[in-house]
Amino acid sequence: MPERDLENSMKTIRRVGLIGAGTMGSGIAISLVEKGIEAVLTDVSAEQLERARAAAASHFGRAVEKGRTTQAAADAALALLKTESGLEAVADTDLVIEAVFEDFDLKVETFKRLMPLLADDTLVATNTSCLRVSDLAAAVDKPGRFLGLHYFSPAQINPLVEVVRGEKTGDETIEAALAFVKAGGKQPLLCKDRWGFAVNRFFCPYTNEADRMLDEGLATTGQIDEVAKEALGVAAGPFLVQNLIKPRINLHAIRNLGPLGPFYAPAAGLVKLGEAEGRFEIEAEPAALPAERRAEIARRLRGAAFLPVLQSLDEGVAAPADIDMGAKQALRFGRPPCALMDELGREEVEAAIAPLCATYGVDKPASLARVGSLVQ
């Protein structure tokens, strides 16, 4: 079979297969058909597929009601969404995106079943949020065509997609993926293959440090959320965000960062709550905290974000400006980490990360020396 001209892949990636019709798979499908790209959504559960179609109909129905689109455009988009129960449905597509549950063995088994069905030039991607793309690539024939395309939830709304280059991912694959992401109306963030990639690498430790402070009784969920809004300029604090994405899912993502060392180990309270599939109780009107306590919470939240960002800069995961773009686009950080470190200065940043380095036996990142000119 002749190789597809990936240089002109914008003309050919018009039909995308999606494996897994859960929250992420259905959200990605909606975002694609909204931009005129046909999406073939498959799942082992007929009920899950029906829910995905209902979610798409609801999404476009609200868009029509609010005047964001016309009924004709909504109908045309919905006509591009196909749902099938077997993997065979995605065989004749230009790109297949795996979006099954964030479990390494499940993903590997999915790719092994998928490979015999695909043409040699079909691009293959994983929507993993934290697992290494290069590890998953072992289950993919011709790994040069394999990469990470990490959409952020809700995928039909969130503008960011991390484009992750695995150790064997080809340049043409990356070029095709970047063009595809832009054609789908998203902002690509090109990053190196490392646990957590560019955004979850610091977002997970940031939420985890909030959970640790709750375990210690330093403050309540509502109080920590209020401090986070000021310290990092976020619209929603770490506990509200964890409830939105579900503590169980955040726990799983944090556990996937385990190979990076003990600093990344999940807080005991999160383990208990996540495994019980519970939610954080957040008081509507948190009591005021003393200034010194607020300052301590702010320092710890910032330090838990700053340390992994500096480590990822040492590893060349992504450029500082791109990390900040991801923080603003995907997480709505009004004060993104690299710009905030430049604003605070090296002395204050070092004071924020020093306790974490001491507690978890971590060397101070070399990129600390660049603070003050990371994005300036």
Side-chain angles (χ1 to χ4, degrees):
M1 178 176 294
E3 289 288 324
R4 175 192 291 120
D5 181 5
L6 291 178
E7 293 284 337
N8 296 316
S9 61
M10 280 292 299
K11 299 178 181 178
T12 56
I13 298 183
R14 288 292 179 263
R15 195 164 192 260
V16 178
L18 289 151
I19 304 173
T23 301
M24 291 306 302
S26 60
I28 296 169
I30 290 169
S31 75
L32 293 178
V33 299
E34 197 162 31
K35 295 298 181 181
I37 301 170
E38 185 177 354
V40 183
L41 188 59
T42 184
D43 198 284
V44 294
S45 168
E47 292 181 359
Q48 194 68 52
L49 288 171
E50 189 59 35
R51 282 194 290 270
R53 290 204 68 87
S58 176
H59 172 85
F60 288 109
R62 289 194 303 272
V64 171
E65 288 176 5
K66 295 182 178 181
R68 293 197 299 263
T69 191
T70 64
Q71 187 62 56
D75 291 343
L78 284 170
L80 291 173
L81 176 60
K82 316 295 182 184
T83 54
E84 301 287 345
S85 59
L87 283 181
E88 294 81 5
V90 303
D92 187 25
T93 55
D94 304 305
L95 164 69
V96 177
I97 302 173
E98 166 274 310
V100 303
F101 184 70
E102 192 76 344
D103 178 83
F104 181 84
D105 292 337
L106 176 60
K107 290 179 184 290
V108 165
E109 178 60 28
T110 299
F111 287 125
K112 287 181 177 179
R113 291 173 52 218
L114 175 67
M115 285 303 103
L117 305 174
L118 301 182
D120 289 345
D121 62 347
T122 302
L123 299 184
V124 184
T126 174
N127 184 54
T128 182
S129 61
C130 288
L131 297 171
R132 289 184 76 243
V133 170
S134 301
D135 293 338
L136 292 170
V140 177
D141 297 338
K142 295 181 172 51
R145 60 173 167 168
F146 184 63
L147 76 159
L149 287 177
H150 176 217
Y151 286 73
F152 285 78
S153 185
Q156 59 269 47
I157 297 172
N158 199 298
L160 189 74
V161 178
E162 288 178 316
V163 177
V164 186
R165 181 193 290 271
E167 292 170 0
K168 296 184 178 180
T169 305
D171 290 343
E172 297 89 351
T173 299
I174 292 296
E175 291 170 8
L178 291 170
F180 163 73
V181 169
K182 292 175 183 176
K186 302 294 187 182
Q187 174 68 54
L189 195 172
L190 182 61
C191 53
K192 185 177 176 181
D193 186 22
R194 189 73 169 147
W195 291 280
F197 312 136
V199 175
N200 276 348
R201 175 64 177 270
F202 71 86
F203 172 73
C204 287
Y206 151 75
T207 60
N208 197 41
E209 189 67 14
D211 299 338
R212 286 179 179 141
M213 288 189 283
L214 182 67
D215 288 351
E216 296 166 16
L218 189 63
T220 66
T221 54
Q223 289 169 332
I224 295 171
D225 273 5
E226 286 300 310
V227 174
K229 291 178 184 179
E230 179 182 344
L232 293 158
V234 293
F239 292 105
L240 178 55
V241 172
Q242 287 181 92
N243 278 349
L244 291 173
I245 63 176
K246 298 180 182 177
R248 173 181 64 87
I249 292 175
N250 197 45
L251 171 62
H252 197 78
I254 291 171
R255 280 175 164 162
N256 283 337
L257 300 181
L260 292 167
F263 164 63
Y264 294 86
L270 176 62
V271 172
K272 183 177 180 180
L273 189 69
E275 290 182 347
E277 300 198 12
R279 294 169 58 85
F280 288 101
E281 295 293 332
I282 306 173
E283 68 273 30
E285 297 183 6
L289 284 170
E292 291 181 0
R293 184 72 59 87
R294 290 181 65 86
E296 181 181 359
I297 294 168
R299 174 186 58 76
R300 288 184 59 173
L301 288 173
R302 287 172 173 172
F306 293 165
L307 178 58
V309 166
L310 292 169
Q311 289 177 329
S312 66
L313 291 176
D314 283 359
E315 297 160 15
V317 173
D322 289 339
I323 291 173
D324 276 7
M325 180 272 291
K328 290 188 286 188
Q329 295 274 8
L331 306 177
R332 299 294 187 264
F333 271 47
R335 306 177 76 185
C338 294
L340 181 55
M341 284 192 280
D342 282 346
E343 175 190 331
L344 296 175
R346 176 174 174 174
E347 184 176 342
E348 191 165 341
V349 170
E350 186 168 8
I353 69 170
L356 295 171
C357 293
T359 299
Y360 298 101
V362 176
D363 292 334
K364 291 180 182 177
S367 292
L368 179 63
R370 298 167 54 194
V371 169
S373 58
L374 290 171
V375 293
Q376 294 174 0

